[in-house]
Amino acid sequence: MLRDAPFGRLALCIQGVPGIFPVNFVVEHGTIVFRTSEGTKSRFSEKAPVALEADGFLNGGALVWSVIVHGQAATINQTGELMDTVTLPLHPWEMGRKDRFMRLVPETITGRSFAPLHAAAHSRTARAHDE
């Protein structure tokens, strides 16, 4: 399911405060590879515990799925490994330099799928918890 996900959310700790960033990624050899720039994501995810969450639909929305990967991320800096990574179908979403490739090595992978309740049956009763 992760291989087909168009994007996920990278969760990391920034000076004691949780941060969540949308990222596109590629599954390669059982790891998660993403691109970023020099900045918050690269600085606070380097050799630190992180999580990546992706979710989606199957069978036209009949099933919802979610996968969470916990592990450590590190910059890919070995020449051979970096050359292989550059050819991955991983393209930046926004303008600017995104020339840092990072690899998340999974320590745990969890997930679930379920059939969602029919939205029309609950549209009249759906409310936010603070209403």
Side-chain angles (χ1 to χ4, degrees):
M1 288 184 238
L2 284 176
R3 288 185 192 281
D4 296 328
F7 65 92
R9 285 158 295 282
L10 182 70
L12 49 108
C13 191
I14 304 164
Q15 297 176 337
V17 178
I20 301 173
F21 300 88
V23 294
N24 58 335
F25 63 91
V26 173
V27 176
E28 183 199 38
H29 303 297
T31 67
I32 307 292
V33 177
F34 61 96
R35 287 177 77 159
T36 189
S37 61
E38 299 294 326
T40 303
K41 281 190 299 248
S42 61
R43 185 170 42 253
F44 289 99
S45 63
E46 183 69 36
K47 297 181 182 166
V50 299
L52 180 116
E53 189 268 344
D55 46 40
F57 298 102
L58 295 172
N59 302 329
L63 283 176
V64 176
W65 63 266
S66 177
V67 174
I68 299 174
V69 178
H70 288 96
Q72 288 209 355
T75 300
I76 298 171
N77 53 23
Q78 298 294 319
T79 303
E81 187 180 2
L82 187 57
M83 294 303 289
D84 290 341
T85 305
V86 170
T87 62
L88 293 173
L90 190 56
H91 308 287
W93 282 351
E94 60 184 346
M95 298 297 292
R97 293 184 63 172
K98 304 286 182 187
D99 52 2
R100 179 179 287 231
F101 287 79
M102 298 191 75
R103 183 180 306 279
L104 167 54
V105 177
E107 293 172 6
T108 63
I109 301 174
T110 58
R112 68 185 195 130
S113 64
F114 58 92
L117 295 174
H118 190 271
H122 297 283
S123 64
R124 291 173 285 162
T125 59
R127 296 182 157 227
H129 292 289
D130 62 348
E131 290 184 16

